[in-house]
Amino acid sequence: MEAVMFRRILHANDGSEHAFHALSFAIAMAKQNNAELHMICVEEIDYMPEFIEEVREETGTAARRYHTVIQRARSLAEQSRIELHTHVVAGHPVRDIVDLVIKIKADLLVIGATGHSALYERLIGSRADRIVQLATCPVLVVK
């Protein structure tokens, strides 16, 4: 049987320590498979914007909020000599992560088991669970 080869790996990062732990796995997998590594950060929009300007404003906020996350992630990737392609969007985390898997044709999605919102996860259910259900590629959930 031929070994599974990952050509394009996507990692979702919300800035939490769980996410950075998952990033370490994603970097190792990218290095082992000589794969392209992408990272998505989603600034959640918890309302329906009426105007495109509101979306642009939220996206600008997301870029600023995730600036230090991206810097830290790039630094970790560079230490392993891995180029990191970053995607920062404002929207709905589950949908936008799953959409990017399709758009970039990811062979593997690497996510942390929990993120910032432990209360949300206890009340509504885990985003990780939803992503695993909806993703079109294998998902590695890192504890």
Side-chain angles (χ1 to χ4, degrees), residues 2-9 29 32-35 107-108:
E2 192 176 313
V4 174
M5 180 75 156
F6 301 115
R7 293 175 304 283
R8 197 166 293 114
I9 297 170
M29 296 291 290
Q32 182 179 7
N33 289 273
N34 195 25
D107 301 303
L108 178 68

Side-chain angles (χ1 to χ4, degrees), residues 10-15 38-47 49 52 54-67 69-70 74 85-101 103-104 127 131:
L10 176 61
H11 163 64
N13 194 315
D14 64 0
H38 292 253
M39 182 178 82
I40 183 171
C41 299
V42 182
E43 176 72 19
E44 188 167 7
I45 297 177
D46 53 4
Y47 67 94
I52 192 70
E54 291 181 62
V55 174
R56 287 191 187 113
E57 199 174 291
E58 290 288 341
T59 303
T61 302
R64 286 188 299 278
R65 176 170 177 246
Y66 283 110
H67 181 74
V69 171
I70 289 169
R74 279 194 197 284
H85 304 274
T86 58
H87 309 265
V88 178
V89 297
H92 305 281
V94 172
R95 184 194 65 205
D96 290 334
I97 291 165
V98 169
D99 285 352
L100 189 59
V101 163
K103 182 178 176 186
I104 68 169
R127 285 193 180 144
I131 290 169

Side-chain angles (χ1 to χ4, degrees), residues 60-130:
T61 302
R64 286 188 299 278
R65 176 170 177 246
Y66 283 110
H67 181 74
T68 55
V69 171
I70 289 169
Q71 281 185 315
R72 181 176 169 194
R74 279 194 197 284
S75 175
L76 291 170
E78 285 170 7
Q79 289 171 17
S80 294
R81 294 182 170 76
I82 297 291
E83 182 182 356
L84 182 64
H85 304 274
T86 58
H87 309 265
V88 178
V89 297
H92 305 281
V94 172
R95 184 194 65 205
D96 290 334
I97 291 165
V98 169
D99 285 352
L100 189 59
V101 163
I102 295 164
K103 182 178 176 186
I104 68 169
K105 297 179 173 71
D107 301 303
L108 178 68
L109 173 60
V110 180
I111 60 175
T114 57
H116 278 304
S117 183
L119 175 64
Y120 172 88
E121 289 180 7
R122 280 196 302 275
L123 293 173
I124 312 294
S126 168
R127 285 193 180 144
D129 290 344
R130 292 292 298 145

